[in-house]
Amino acid sequence: MPPDSPAAFPETRWSLVLRAQTSAVPDERARLALDELCANYWYPLYAFARRREIPPAEAEDLTQGFFALLVSRSLLDKADRERGRLRSFLIGVFKLHIADETRREHRLRRGGGHALVSFEHAQAEEWFVAETADGAAPEQLFDRDWAETVVDHAMRALEEECAQKGKGPLFARLREFLSWEHAEPEVAAAARDLGITEGALRVAVHRLRHNFRQQLQAQVAQTVTTPDELQAELDHLFRTLLRE
Amino acid sequence: MDDTMSSRPLCRHCGAPLSSRASSTGDCPRCLVASALAAPSEDAAPADFGDYAFGDEIGRGGMGVVYRARQCSLDREVALKLLPFELLESEDFLERFEREARLMARLTHPGIARVFEAGISRRGQPFLALELVAGDPVTTFLRTHPLPLRGRLELFLQICEAVQHAHQRGIIHRDLKPSNVLALAGEGGPSIKVIDFGLARPAGDHAADAALWRSQSAVVGTPLYMSPEQAGGGDVDTRTDVYSLGVLLCEMLVGAAPLADRSFSSGSREEIARALRETAARPPSELLTQGSPSAAPALRVAEVRGDLDAICLRAMSKDPAARYATVATMADDIRRHLAHEPVSAVPLTAHYRLGKYARRHRILLSVASLVILGFAGAAVFSAVQARTARLQRDRAERVKAFLIDVLGAPAPGADGREVRVIDVLAKARERAEHDLRTDPIVLAEVRLTLGTTYYNLSLYDEAEPLLRSALAETRRLTGDRSIATAEALKAMGEQCNWTSRQDEATKLLTESIVIYRTHLPESTAALGRALQSRASVEIHSSRPLGAIPLLEESVRLAERAGGPGCVDSLVSMGDLATSLDKLGRTNEARVIFDKVIPGMRANPALLENLSAMLSSLSDLLAESGDLAAAERALVESVAQRRILYGDETTPVATALGKLAWTRYQQGKYQGAEIDARAGVTIQRKLLPPVAREYFFTLRPLAFTLLKLGRTMEAEPVFVELVEVTRRHMAADAVIVKQAEQGLAEARAER
């Protein structure tokens, strides 16, 4: 899945954040970008902490405190080598953060005055409990959580895109076709439900898949700064999910 | 993955845990990503194309990948073309695809590869199941099978007919180029198939169009065959195909396309369009003189310069309005060139027209040399007149058929003697028109002779003023009751009969007969011939009953003048037999045929009449159920026609078709197919599409194929047959219905 236009790689949330870090003037756009990134990717970090056998409440505090430091920019100059990609950066710096905090045996309380990400504790714990603990390394599990988060956001964006085009019902009926090839009768049934021909339905499914691929790419693009990184990050995502 | 400890439900397809996240609950992230990854490949995933079993890849280009495949349910080989997914990006693609597929399904022409199905694969990929065509790109074919000029033009005419057929059904090809025009050597000469007809090509300046342009130019590398308006992304109509045909014709003639030396590889779309608009196309003859390395050495510059240069350049005009308006008019020009007539692409100058005239007449005169030599050798007009009159009889129809055939046959080499003959004829006419010294009665006779000669050459326009003035002058000089006036009335009457003015013909011939009757017995033979001509009017007007008493009297008079079995009596008897047969009086007809045919066999001057008689006799025999005898008569008729007209002529084709039908009726399918195909092959070279004559060959071919169970082959033949019968035989409901039923049967059994 090559990026669409390698020549002009647009500014991404992550590149905004990184650029703002070297500037003396606080940048509102960069702050918003970072907030959004945090909002999107807190769960993999939380789950990572939980797998270190940190209890739920402390894991939450740890994650919130991490974001607070991130937002106050005091973590951003750490782990310079890793900061090209958000995922590698976060996990690298988060590991250091856990180590620091554990050594101090002291948890930062949330916020430091900043409005932090909305943290649905109960839901996070629910997801975490549902997760596997199949003996894989925590870093691998983090990557998988991350990939699933990307996929989830891509689906949300696709759903919104369809709703905007007035194709909400089409999306709702066809979303299951995105993941799996369906047998003739199911195709026929869906076509009947939507009042279109089977050929038109297949074309619609194809388009939906195409748009999903673009959304996936767009999501990942927000966490990198160059086309090469985008490609590498996409490859990593696929490898993570398709492993075995 | 070992998910035994997970409480998340597992994907029933891959076993991975399903998502429990807010926006993707119940989705399998693994499968989602896997299918997103799988989609963009343009290569075949055979399982997606249920009915088709994939074979080898045949070709690959900007418009998709083509595989050889077998359609399992119908057990037939097809070419399966997978179109790029990119096409789906345009919102109205599907609508256009389905609309064009419906149009394409109606496109059945032997020169166009059929579209069997336009479908969508399980993955949503649009595909086409196409007739699998063997053959090479036409320009490649011409390198391996060098044809003379005429052969190349005839091949090109086949292409024109196919494209015109599509245009008449609202389908534009939009991508005519050698790789889309395949040629195949066959028993009856090379044939062509146009592939890749306008389907699923973006109509306007679409986003998808732009995407395709990228991929096409990357693959094809040259827009050599594309009209400037199409390259510019503007609206196109059928004239974009006319442009491409002009380029193609040029390349078929000289081995190189007119803009072949320009490099378009690096240009953007706009640059290419501008280059196409601004670069003057060079005429093919110029490419030939410059000795392009791939140029066909078989052709001479002189053959191409002039008409063919003009035809190519007109087709390739930058402005669509300056091109041929239709492919048919372009084809007409090629045919005119082949017939040595003036082509519309060349402005008519006196010099040009005269050149054409001389060339054309060289051929005409060679076939009618008997008439011409009789005239040219003599200042003794009475002798000429006698001979001309004898030749004339009621053979106008056959003479015309004869000449049309000759025009379609290979051109004879330059022959000075023949050219001199026509010069003599033209000079004589000029003198007859302006000579003030010669006796006006002699001059009137000269005009009558010249007019009759032109009439026998089917040059009715030239004949008309001569015959009219001969009649007026003779009447003025010799009076209303003279034999000379009767002669002139008869000649003018025959001219009117043949040029579809039957009322005037009846009036003139009746007057002529009345005069002849007053000059008996001196005018016995002449009266017999006048009655024969008068009968011919009745036959032309579909009143065979009215012809019978006239012919009976004509036979009696001819036998009285020339003895039983004389030429005039045989000709009238032949017409009599044919008229009786048409009235269903077959027993009477048969008796006369049995007398006439041996007589004609014995007289070499009546070969033409003999072959026509044999054909009529065979109709009669077939109707009376004696198919074996009918077949024998037709075998002889074919042989006679070959001697008379040459192998590749329409009379031979018609006779072959009738022979095939007789064989079909006797269950001799193999012979029937061979004869019918041989006839069709000849007709394709000589006749425009949907000509009446196709009936004779298509009917046996279609029904034979149906009988042999080869319904796929039969269907397009029936389609054409139905078209021919509907156009020319609408009055004969039985024949039209028979063709339609055959077509329905072929479709039902398919």
Side-chain angles (χ1 to χ4, degrees):
Chain A
M1 179 163 41
D4 263 342
S5 50
F9 198 71
E11 192 151 55
T12 68
R13 288 192 190 123
W14 185 228
S15 63
L16 257 175
V17 170
L18 288 177
R19 196 153 48 76
Q21 188 221 342
T22 56
S23 151
V25 190
D27 182 337
E28 183 62 12
R29 279 173 66 222
R31 197 187 60 75
L32 282 174
L34 184 59
D35 284 354
E36 284 178 64
L37 288 175
C38 294
N40 279 352
Y41 294 106
W42 61 264
Y43 174 75
L45 293 173
Y46 171 82
F48 185 82
R50 291 283 290 113
R51 291 203 181 88
R52 291 286 182 91
E53 298 186 348
I54 297 168
E58 288 178 34
E60 183 187 345
D61 285 349
L62 196 64
T63 310
Q64 292 284 20
F66 174 71
F67 282 128
L69 285 174
L70 204 56
V71 170
S72 71
R73 310 202 322 202
S74 46
L75 277 179
L76 278 170
D77 32 346
K78 293 196 178 181
D80 264 310
R81 280 164 306 168
E82 293 288 352
R83 67 189 216 185
R85 306 189 223 165
L86 178 66
R87 181 180 51 80
S88 326
F89 169 82
L90 286 182
I91 189 62
V93 182
F94 192 59
K95 277 195 262 182
L96 292 175
H97 177 67
I98 292 176
D100 284 352
E101 295 302 308
T102 313
R103 206 177 308 117
R104 277 187 242 160
E105 289 188 13
H106 152 231
R107 311 273 176 258
L108 271 179
R109 299 315 293 178
R110 62 177 60 187
H114 258 293
L116 288 181
V117 296
S118 124
F119 203 115
E120 297 288 346
H121 178 83
Q123 190 179 47
E125 212 22 51
E126 192 184 308
W127 291 348
F128 180 72
V129 169
E131 289 261 326
T132 63
D134 53 5
E139 285 81 2
Q140 279 177 354
L141 292 171
F142 169 80
D143 282 350
R144 202 180 69 202
D145 285 338
W146 184 277
E148 289 183 0
T149 304
V150 172
V151 169
D152 186 57
H153 292 322
M155 278 301 268
R156 186 176 65 206
L158 180 62
E159 189 170 10
E160 281 165 6
E161 181 191 333
C162 287
Q164 269 171 17
K165 289 186 193 161
K167 291 183 176 172
L170 185 84
F171 176 83
R173 184 67 183 83
L174 295 188
R175 68 177 300 155
E176 58 173 319
F177 288 78
L178 277 178
S179 309
W180 307 294
E181 300 302 334
H182 283 62
E184 292 297 314
E186 297 172 71
V187 172
R192 238 186 348 266
D193 290 352
L194 292 165
I196 56 179
T197 65
E198 289 182 37
L201 181 121
R202 295 202 169 99
V203 168
V205 168
H206 173 85
R207 285 223 184 93
L208 220 47
R209 267 188 198 160
H210 174 78
N211 294 349
F212 173 69
R213 205 157 53 236
Q214 287 183 326
Q215 291 293 357
L216 206 56
Q217 190 168 308
Q219 291 297 323
V220 174
Q222 293 304 326
T223 69
V224 296
T225 57
T226 69
D228 287 348
E229 284 170 5
L230 171 58
Q231 193 53 58
E233 190 63 9
L234 285 166
D235 290 346
H236 180 85
L237 176 92
F238 297 141
R239 272 202 311 278
T240 302
L241 281 172
L242 302 184
R243 197 158 39 210
E244 291 149 47
Chain B
M1 242 185 258
D2 174 10
D3 287 303
T4 46
M5 293 178 69
S6 170
S7 58
R8 279 158 65 181
L10 302 181
C11 173
R12 63 193 157 97
H13 296 273
C14 74
L18 296 178
S19 170
S20 56
R21 307 293 174 82
S23 299
S24 52
T25 311
D27 293 327
C28 170
R30 188 174 197 264
C31 287
L32 261 176
V33 168
S35 68
L37 262 186
S41 164
E42 254 66 305
D43 292 337
D48 290 341
F49 298 81
D51 196 20
Y52 297 93
F54 274 65
D56 300 335
E57 181 178 319
I58 303 173
R60 185 177 281 265
M63 284 305 296
V65 191
V66 184
Y67 294 87
R68 180 187 292 273
R70 168 161 292 277
Q71 189 175 8
C72 303
S73 59
L74 292 176
D75 193 33
R76 68 177 168 195
E77 292 274 320
V78 302
L80 206 60
K81 179 172 189 169
L82 311 192
L83 299 171
F85 279 105
E86 282 174 294
L87 287 168
L88 301 180
E89 285 168 28
S90 98
E91 286 285 331
D92 62 345
F93 166 77
L94 195 65
E95 195 187 314
R96 281 189 290 122
F97 185 64
E98 287 174 348
R99 188 180 60 231
E100 290 204 42
R102 279 195 298 276
L103 281 175
M104 289 298 298
R106 304 212 317 256
L107 213 51
T108 53
H109 186 278
I112 298 175
R114 293 274 313 274
V115 171
F116 294 129
E117 186 186 357
I120 304 285
S121 81
R122 279 192 207 147
R123 274 201 280 151
Q125 180 165 24
F127 69 90
L128 301 168
L130 307 162
E131 179 183 349
L132 189 63
V133 181
D136 292 318
V138 64
T139 48
T140 313
F141 177 88
L142 286 173
R143 278 194 284 278
T144 51
H145 302 74
L147 289 175
L149 178 62
R150 174 168 288 267
R152 281 164 203 256
L153 292 177
E154 284 167 352
L155 204 57
F156 182 74
L157 284 175
Q158 287 189 40
I159 302 170
C160 290
E161 280 159 24
V163 175
Q164 174 71 8
H165 179 88
H167 284 180
Q168 285 169 338
R169 284 153 186 78
I171 298 169
I172 308 172
H173 191 294
R174 295 195 187 97
D175 195 17
L176 285 169
K177 58 188 176 189
S179 58
N180 279 337
V181 179
L182 303 184
L184 186 65
E187 250 176 57
S191 60
I192 62 100
K193 284 264 188 208
V194 181
I195 61 171
D196 228 1
F197 247 96
L199 208 90
R201 221 156 277 145
D205 200 10
H206 269 275
D209 193 10
L212 278 173
W213 174 261
R214 273 205 308 278
S215 50
Q216 262 177 337
S217 57
V219 175
V220 179
T222 168
L224 276 182
Y225 300 86
M226 190 178 281
S227 68
E229 71 270 20
Q230 192 177 346
D235 285 343
V236 300
D237 57 25
T238 53
R239 291 172 298 183
T240 194
D241 284 349
V242 171
Y243 180 93
S244 307
L245 284 172
V247 182
L248 189 62
L249 174 60
C250 175
E251 188 162 352
M252 286 173 67
L253 293 176
V254 305
L259 301 176
D261 54 343
R262 281 195 57 96
S263 164
F264 292 102
S265 51
S266 58
S268 70
R269 179 171 195 151
E270 289 70 24
E271 286 169 49
I272 290 167
R274 190 175 342 105
L276 286 174
R277 272 196 307 274
E278 293 172 2
T279 312
R282 289 152 65 213
S285 67
E286 205 176 292
L287 295 169
L288 212 49
T289 41
Q290 297 194 346
S292 150
S294 56
L299 298 188
R300 297 191 305 270
V301 173
E303 289 182 293
V304 178
R305 185 181 288 151
D307 287 356
L308 295 174
D309 275 352
I311 291 171
C312 285
L313 290 179
R314 177 157 176 211
M316 290 187 292
S317 299
K318 308 292 178 197
D319 175 8
R323 288 176 211 150
Y324 291 100
T326 65
V327 175
T329 52
M330 181 176 184
D332 283 347
D333 250 6
I334 304 268
R335 284 195 198 92
R336 271 195 286 271
H337 173 76
L338 284 172
H340 300 295
E341 291 170 13
V343 305
S344 71
V346 175
L348 284 177
T349 64
H351 175 74
Y352 174 74
R353 213 174 348 206
L354 274 178
K356 281 281 153 190
Y357 184 81
R359 253 177 292 165
R360 176 168 176 231
H361 285 214
R362 187 173 69 216
I363 299 169
L364 291 180
L365 296 180
S366 71
V367 303
S369 53
L370 192 59
V371 181
I372 297 311
L373 288 176
F375 174 78
V380 188
F381 289 110
S382 57
V384 174
Q385 191 179 342
R387 191 177 292 183
T388 313
R390 190 184 307 151
L391 267 166
Q392 194 168 323
R393 279 177 273 279
D394 186 30
R395 284 164 51 189
E397 186 166 356
R398 282 151 228 158
V399 169
K400 181 168 192 262
F402 187 53
L403 293 176
I404 289 169
D405 292 334
V406 171
L407 287 173
D415 184 329
R417 189 177 62 84
E418 287 168 338
V419 175
R420 273 203 311 279
V421 170
I422 184 58
D423 288 344
V424 170
L425 188 58
K427 210 172 274 176
R429 181 171 64 157
E430 200 176 318
R431 268 188 53 189
E433 279 164 6
H434 302 289
D435 193 332
L436 298 172
R437 287 170 300 173
T438 312
D439 181 346
I441 295 181
V442 174
L443 269 186
E445 206 172 346
V446 168
R447 283 181 195 149
L448 181 64
T449 306
L450 284 168
T452 310
T453 308
Y454 277 116
Y455 165 78
N456 279 335
L457 291 172
S458 308
L459 298 171
Y460 306 113
D461 290 348
E462 284 89 346
E464 179 94 13
L466 286 164
L467 292 174
R468 243 181 227 296
S469 93
L471 175 57
E473 282 295 284
T474 310
R475 217 191 261 280
R476 183 174 69 83
L477 294 164
T478 66
D480 287 340
R481 319 288 303 166
S482 73
I483 286 190
T485 301
E487 264 326 286
L489 282 165
K490 176 172 162 289
M492 192 64 217
E494 284 169 346
Q495 159 96 355
C496 288
N497 183 34
W498 186 248
T499 49
S500 300
R501 290 169 290 175
Q502 267 73 32
D503 288 348
E504 194 178 351
T506 303
K507 201 171 130 263
L508 291 162
L509 287 167
T510 304
E511 189 185 350
S512 155
I513 288 165
V514 168
I515 299 169
Y516 279 132
R517 284 196 196 284
T518 64
H519 291 274
L520 286 170
E522 186 196 345
S523 60
T524 306
L527 176 58
R529 289 194 288 269
L531 287 164
Q532 192 186 88
S533 297
R534 176 70 188 80
S536 171
V537 177
E538 295 298 301
I539 293 170
H540 271 246
S541 313
S542 303
R543 293 189 299 259
L545 191 60
I548 287 171
L550 296 166
L551 288 166
E552 282 169 347
E553 187 184 357
S554 170
V555 172
R556 276 198 309 276
L557 291 165
E559 287 186 341
R560 196 184 303 157
C566 73
V567 167
D568 283 334
S569 75
L570 287 172
V571 172
S572 287
M573 281 167 76
D575 287 352
L576 182 57
T578 309
S579 301
L580 289 167
D581 182 27
K582 279 189 178 150
L583 288 167
R585 290 154 67 175
T586 47
N587 289 337
E588 293 165 75
R590 178 94 188 246
V591 171
I592 299 174
F593 273 125
D594 287 347
K595 262 197 255 176
V596 171
I597 288 173
M600 286 184 170
R601 281 200 192 106
N603 192 333
L606 292 175
L607 266 186
E608 277 176 73
N609 305 63
L610 174 59
S611 75
M613 282 303 109
L614 287 167
S615 180
S616 302
L617 173 63
S618 74
D619 289 346
L620 182 153
L621 291 169
E623 274 166 39
S624 63
D626 192 349
L627 293 167
E631 184 183 344
R632 279 196 301 278
L634 284 164
V635 168
E636 188 183 350
S637 171
V638 170
Q640 295 291 2
R641 285 172 187 221
R642 283 191 200 278
I643 296 167
L644 254 177
Y645 307 123
D647 287 337
E648 297 217 327
T649 53
T650 46
V652 169
T654 303
L656 279 169
K658 285 183 151 190
L659 178 57
W661 184 244
T662 313
R663 288 187 165 152
Y664 161 80
Q665 288 174 308
Q666 296 174 85
K668 299 176 178 176
Y669 300 125
Q670 203 183 350
E673 184 185 353
I674 291 170
D675 294 329
R677 283 202 193 277
V680 172
T681 304
I682 294 169
Q683 289 173 333
R684 295 250 187 263
K685 292 182 185 174
L686 303 175
L687 296 171
V690 209
R692 186 180 209 280
E693 288 87 340
Y694 280 112
F695 166 75
F696 296 105
T697 53
L698 292 177
R699 182 169 68 156
L701 182 57
F703 281 97
T704 300
L705 291 171
L706 183 64
K707 210 57 158 191
L708 292 172
R710 286 150 63 188
T711 47
M712 289 310 306
E713 287 172 78
E715 189 190 329
V717 185
F718 270 117
V719 168
E720 204 181 344
L721 177 64
V722 167
E723 205 174 352
V724 169
T725 55
R726 280 189 190 153
R727 177 170 312 178
H728 299 290
M729 296 155 191
D732 196 337
V734 177
I735 282 188
V736 178
K737 189 138 194 165
Q738 183 193 37
E740 288 170 345
Q741 277 170 351
L743 176 59
E745 217 172 302
R747 286 194 169 143
E749 285 181 21
R750 200 179 74 190

